[in-house]
Amino acid sequence: FVYGQPHAGLGEDAVEEYQPRLVPGGRLPHVLLTQGCGNAVISSLDLVPNELALQLFLLEGDGSQGWVEAVAQLDAQYCHDHQLVCVKLVRIGLSGSSAAPGQRESERIAAVDSSGEWERLCFQAGASAVLVRPDGHISWCGQGAGCADSLRHAVRATCRGEILA
């Protein structure tokens, strides 16, 4: 099921194989990731906390710094405007990456994509950033090197309950 898309009527015997994908209106897919010094295996779903905040999932690499800066600009504007919208960065590192000691929270890698599955999903969707609502649904997929105006528009639309395809 994907919000904003027609539901195909399936017969009672029909089986639809689940294909994980990053699509606005769909649920954030389950992808196995590793976390911490012990390389504990977690799910991408574990990175969506039970709190009222939007998460911006980033795959580390080319262009991710632009999204980090876009979130910083957004935070400054929304704090200034006294609106209660919080966007938290969830940085997914490529295989072989790790968090360096002493990094600020916005610079820390939340988990590592050891299998390459998250990178594959991002590539298929053409997404460099994925905005996830507190209920685990994707509201928007950003492309390119990061743009504060695009992110601001996506956050405002998400707060209005819209899904941006």
Side-chain angles (χ1 to χ4, degrees), residues 34-40 98 109-112:
T34 56
Q35 186 177 52
C37 296
N39 289 326
S98 62
I109 293 173
V112 174

Side-chain angles (χ1 to χ4, degrees), residues 18-22 29-33 44 59 92-95 112-124:
Y18 172 71
Q19 296 292 325
R21 56 194 178 130
L22 298 173
H30 161 72
V31 175
L32 290 177
L33 304 167
S44 54
L59 180 66
I92 308 293
L94 298 171
S95 184
V112 174
D113 179 22
S114 299
S115 69
E117 179 68 6
W118 184 261
E119 183 179 16
R120 183 187 68 75
L121 291 173
C122 288
F123 178 77
Q124 283 180 337

Side-chain angles (χ1 to χ4, degrees), residues 8 19 42 45-46 56 74 85 93 96 118 132 157:
Q19 296 292 325
I42 64 166
L45 302 174
D46 295 330
L56 185 68
L74 184 73
V85 177
W118 184 261
V132 179

Side-chain angles (χ1 to χ4, degrees), residues 45-57:
L45 302 174
D46 295 330
L47 297 173
V48 180
N50 190 13
E51 60 185 55
L52 291 178
L54 300 172
Q55 273 74 41
L56 185 68
F57 280 70

Side-chain angles (χ1 to χ4, degrees), residues 73-89:
Q73 290 177 21
L74 184 73
D75 283 347
Q77 179 186 356
Y78 276 72
C79 289
H80 177 71
D81 291 345
H82 304 290
Q83 295 190 24
L84 300 174
V85 177
C86 180
V87 177
K88 294 187 173 184
L89 282 172

